[in-house]
Amino acid sequence: MHTVKLLCVVFSCLCAVAWASSNSQPCHSPPLTSGTMKVVSTGGHDLASGEFSYDSKANKFRFVEDTAHANKSSYMDVLIHFEEGVLYEIDSKNESCKKETLQFRKHLMEIPPDATHESEIYMGSPSVTEQGLRVRLWNGKLPELHAHYSLSTTSCGCLPVSGSYYGDKKDLLFSFFGVETEVDDPQVFVPPAYCEGVTFEEAPDDHSFFDLFHD
């Protein structure tokens, strides 16, 4: 028990040192993360909920909507290769694929380098063991989309906690749950074989990650 407490103290000190030396610069996500992502509108409408996987080094993102928690006729399964600017909409049931260009490549899985550090706060209790979470708050603008955003990440580890997006077309709230620093199957970042040879469909110049979520 004493060993566990000592490790916790050491870990907390290392986090504090890392935070102090970061000079409030945007932190970077772990190489791999996965968990549950929920998206709602500011009006309270559930837009999507499902499992996400993110490879920060390759900048690849997969989101598969949970069919058990959505009253829809179709469900989202998307793979985005942000570096290449390619978005795949996957229909595994019918083995079909839609491929679009993605001109705007910023998203909420990674803090943009020009983000502003707003503050560091505790959610819950800062003094009671395992009853609080220290988070950093970030915000910034996306002028190409006439929008602005805010993000919260864990202070030590830079794991996503929540985010918001406010634009001309829509306002979105993102929440992240059960986040792990691993991805069970790296193949989730590889397009299915039936996506090969599919021609690109035209997309607006401002087509973005945020356009995936709508009423």
Side-chain angles (χ1 to χ4, degrees), residues 39-42 47 108 163-167 170-174 209-214:
V39 186
V40 301
S41 68
T42 52
L47 302 182
L108 292 189
S164 60
Y165 168 88
Y166 300 98
K170 65 185 72 180
D171 299 332
L172 304 171
L173 301 176
F174 295 79
F209 164 81
F210 306 100
D211 291 323
L212 294 171
F213 310 102
H214 50 79

Side-chain angles (χ1 to χ4, degrees), residues 85-87 99-103 200-204 207:
V86 181
L87 185 153
K99 186 164 64 172
E100 300 175 337
T101 56
L102 196 69
Q103 299 292 344
F200 279 99
E201 297 191 14
E202 291 187 14
H207 190 41

